[in-house]
Amino acid sequence: MTLSSFGDDAPYVIEVMSGKFFNLRNPTPEMVDLSDIEAGLFNNIRFRGQISRKFSILASVALHCCLVDDILVYEHEKYLSERNLATLRLHGLLHDAHEAYTGDISTPLKNLIGKEVIKDIQLRIDEAVHDALGLEDMSFYEDLTKEADTLSLRAEAATYLHSHGSWAGDPTEEKVVLWQNQLMQYLFGYFRVDWKDRVLECLEMVNGREEA
């Protein structure tokens, strides 16, 4: 497939790492490759890259998704079945999958452009990703993932930003410090940012198969 084959949609098409073309306006499951998502998330830096240079290469969206996954497991493995926990983990690991194609769009920019416009684009991409991976509707887990996402954001802001994320609450709060310490384990190389391996592990548990 070539760029010209997209016709009127050509202005909305990007080329991704695998060599595929991805249509941001009309994404389909056939355009999705897990390795492309992995590349996009690893190469996207949190907070628009406006962080200390000592963290700039490491502070990826992929790491953020792994921290969200850690929080979800810590908070919910006690009462969820193995399969339901794997589904919840997939929701957390993939909650920013669209950013592999759109980049990490800041909330102030969303406010400027229009949140609903951005949300519509993101939802269409996420649906294509979920369909490509054989996943059913996971919106049941949205609130749990949002809580973990917010806690991860606060821990990352406390680590990366000059303000320590005081705009999001007290950065010295016990639960924020707990996950800030976990984040530091990744940043100093004690833990591996194994985003794709985690996704494949959970897919195997949920679908009984692995995706390439």
Side-chain angles (χ1 to χ4, degrees):
M1 182 173 286
T2 62
L3 187 60
S4 60
S5 66
F6 287 91
D8 291 342
D9 273 0
Y12 314 110
V13 174
I14 59 172
E15 184 174 354
V16 291
M17 184 197 68
S18 64
K20 288 185 176 184
F21 289 100
F22 191 91
N23 187 337
L24 293 170
R25 185 162 75 168
N26 292 303
T28 66
E30 294 74 28
M31 299 173 189
V32 173
D33 188 298
L34 204 55
S35 293
D36 290 330
I37 300 175
E38 179 184 41
L41 297 184
F42 267 94
N43 290 323
N44 260 309
I45 304 302
R46 294 284 281 164
F47 303 105
R48 306 154 307 284
Q50 297 297 322
I51 61 177
S52 169
R53 290 183 66 183
K54 66 182 176 182
F55 296 128
S56 61
I57 298 176
L58 305 170
S60 67
V61 176
L63 171 48
H64 163 71
C65 292
C66 285
L67 191 62
V68 168
D69 179 49
D70 291 343
I71 294 170
L72 289 172
V73 171
Y74 179 83
E75 294 286 349
H76 304 293
E77 69 175 338
K78 300 180 286 293
Y79 61 85
L80 287 178
S81 70
E82 195 173 71
R83 189 176 188 277
N84 286 342
L85 179 62
T87 304
L88 172 61
R89 291 182 62 197
L90 280 170
H91 193 273
L93 288 163
L94 296 169
H95 79 280
D96 280 337
H98 51 264
E99 293 186 8
Y101 303 103
T102 66
D104 185 4
I105 304 173
S106 68
T107 298
L109 184 56
K110 290 178 184 177
N111 292 337
L112 182 61
I113 297 173
K115 282 187 176 181
E116 292 307 312
V117 173
I118 301 299
K119 185 176 181 180
D120 180 62
I121 295 169
Q122 292 174 335
L123 283 175
R124 276 184 277 140
I125 294 173
D126 286 341
E127 287 173 3
V129 170
H130 293 172
D131 287 348
L133 299 178
L135 297 172
E136 298 177 356
D137 180 29
M138 298 189 293
S139 58
F140 176 79
Y141 296 106
E142 190 167 339
D143 289 343
L144 298 181
T145 298
K146 182 61 180 175
E147 290 175 7
D149 186 30
T150 299
L151 183 51
S152 177
L153 168 73
R154 293 180 64 190
E156 291 168 277
T159 304
Y160 301 147
L161 300 182
H162 182 74
S163 69
H164 303 295
S166 56
W167 39 264
D170 181 4
T172 65
E173 189 177 346
E174 183 178 354
K175 64 180 180 180
V176 177
V177 174
L178 170 67
W179 293 106
Q180 186 181 14
N181 290 336
Q182 179 88 343
L183 175 64
M184 297 301 287
Q185 300 297 310
Y186 285 107
L187 293 172
F188 288 109
Y190 296 109
F191 295 163
R192 189 165 66 91
V193 184
D194 52 349
W195 178 86
K196 184 177 178 181
D197 289 344
R198 296 185 192 203
V199 172
L200 291 173
E201 174 192 344
C202 292
L203 282 172
E204 177 68 16
M205 212 165 295
V206 171
N207 291 339
R209 60 186 175 85
E210 290 189 359
E211 300 290 336

